[in-house]
Each structure stands twice: as structure tokens, then as C-alpha cells.
Amino acid sequence: MSETAGSVMLARSAMGRAGPEPQRPPGRPVRGTRRVSAALAGLAASARHELLTFDDPAASASRAIPEPFLELAGACMRAAAERAGEVRRIVPRHALPQVAGTVRVPGRARVADSIPFKMIVVDRTVAAVPLDLELHYNGLLLIRDPVVVQALVRAHHASWDTSQELAGLTPPARDLPPQLRPVLDALLAGLTDETAAARLGMSPRTYSRRVGELMAALGTTSRFRAGAEAARRGWV
């Protein structure tokens, strides 16, 4: 078993412990947009020395997450990175187009073939992991148990050692998938989702999923910036 796989298994096992020792309080689940936002802001404000993350911008781009939450979460992470002396961010290779289309986060970044889950660790004392391991928006687990936090740090270090530096990597060129052309045209025309779905003969759910795919292809989570990015790529 590789060191990375072993560390991930240790972290997941520790996160799932049913009976933590009294001196090691279990993680605290946080649910609801306001509480999750407050928790992320608190993590950012507490950062002093080190920030470690597993991050996948593509996961957020392909889901219908409110733009204000995405902007706040991004601002929190940039604030935490600016406070911390050491920043190490790991992103999966499939998210390179999204990374290129977002505001640069201070610190170092590397690219791995994949990440085991999304994660934030601040100063090796507190960690935040999504309850579904994918999106903080759906709720997160705040962890202060030193054993669990150390396991997460080890998982990050093992992945960091086998990853590539992000600097100098060029995101793969991508053409607009044919099935997304009508969706882009509908967005540029300013149609509401309901009107666009009806005009294109799609269900609202299918249209929403296609919009998410378009945002992911454009490397943005903002419909306001989608047109500009599409124009920059020569898609309009």
C-alpha cells in the first residue's frame, strides 16, 4: 500500500470514529449556508502559520451553487492564504482549466492525478472537511481532534510529495462541446432558465446540469463572466 493511500485510509478511519476519547472532542458538523459561511470566515481569521488544502474548483463549477457563497468562500481562502506564512494547495488534474480561470491564491500549488476529498487544514490545529467529502456548501465537519488533524496533514504531505508544481503547467485547450452551444446562446441572449429550457426542449433539471457543464468548460462559476470568457476563447 502506498504512503498516500495509507494516510488517506488513516484519515477517513479517524474521521469516522464512533467513540473519541473525552480529551479529544469529536468533529462538529456545520450545516446551512450562513453557518458554513461563518465557519469558513472563522477559519480564515484564525490562520497564522500554515494553510493546507485539497481543492477541486471543477466540483463547484458543475453544481448549482449560489454565486455569493462561491465568492465568499473564495475570499475566505485568499484571506487565509495571505495570513499564513506557508500555503500548500493541491488540485486534481481535471480542474486545471478552472484553476486557470480563477483568481490566483497566494502560496504554492501542485497538481495531482486526483484528490481523495476536499479539505482545509489551518495551522495543524483545525480542519474542515465537507460532510459529503466534495462540497463545503453542503455542510462541513470542523475537526479539532489532534489525531484526526495529524492524519489529514500526513495525507496532504504524502500527496504533495508525488504531485507536480502548478507553475508552468498549461491547461489543455478545450473546444466548446456541441451540446453546450445552445446553452451558451441562451445565456448570451439573457433568457431565464425556465424560458431557455422550454425553448430548447429540455427539462429544467437537464438545462441546469448543462449550464453547470458550460461553467466548468469555461473555467468560471459566474454567469456574468461566462460571456467574456467565451469571447476570449473564440466561442462567440
Side-chain angles (χ1 to χ4, degrees):
M1 180 183 296
S2 69
E3 183 179 359
T4 300
S7 297
V8 169
M9 288 183 64
L10 175 60
R12 282 179 167 162
S13 174
M15 285 190 290
R17 287 185 307 167
E21 298 176 9
Q23 68 269 28
R24 294 172 181 160
R28 177 171 65 89
V30 179
R31 297 180 176 88
T33 303
R34 290 185 179 180
R35 291 182 177 179
V36 170
S37 298
L40 292 176
L43 282 173
S46 69
R48 293 293 183 274
H49 308 292
E50 182 184 64
L51 178 67
L52 307 177
T53 69
F54 283 131
D55 190 17
D56 184 0
S60 299
S62 62
R63 309 290 181 87
I65 300 177
E67 184 70 19
F69 178 86
L70 292 173
E71 291 180 353
L72 183 144
C76 286
M77 289 305 95
R78 289 192 295 275
E82 290 169 357
R83 286 172 172 270
E86 178 75 11
V87 178
R88 295 190 178 189
R89 179 189 186 202
I90 300 176
V91 298
R93 195 171 303 279
H94 71 256
L96 273 176
Q98 285 71 34
V99 173
T102 58
V103 177
R104 185 179 182 279
V105 175
R108 298 176 64 189
R110 287 189 174 182
V111 177
D113 289 336
S114 63
I115 59 174
F117 40 75
K118 290 192 73 169
M119 176 188 78
I120 303 167
V121 180
V122 175
D123 293 344
R124 305 193 185 192
T125 59
V126 59
V129 176
L131 293 175
D132 61 4
L133 301 183
E134 294 184 1
L135 296 170
H136 289 103
Y137 179 74
N138 294 334
L140 56 82
L141 188 69
L142 278 180
I143 305 168
R144 296 186 185 277
D145 186 310
V147 171
V148 182
V149 172
Q150 182 60 25
L152 293 172
V153 170
R154 288 181 62 183
H156 190 279
H157 283 186
S159 181
W160 182 266
D161 289 342
T162 58
S163 301
Q164 291 179 279
E165 290 287 344
L166 177 61
L169 287 179
T170 303
R174 298 177 65 177
D175 295 326
L176 177 65
Q179 72 273 19
L180 298 183
R181 166 58 62 183
V183 178
L184 176 59
D185 292 342
L187 287 181
L188 294 176
L191 301 180
T192 64
D193 286 7
E194 293 77 9
T195 300
R199 185 170 297 182
L200 298 176
M202 300 178 184
S203 69
R205 177 175 295 182
T206 298
Y207 181 76
S208 178
R209 185 174 67 250
R210 291 285 174 83
V211 171
E213 293 172 1
L214 177 63
M215 295 295 102
L218 288 168
T220 181
T221 58
S222 170
R223 295 192 182 196
F224 297 104
R225 292 193 291 270
E229 178 60 24
R232 187 184 71 81
R233 298 186 182 200
W235 290 1
V236 295

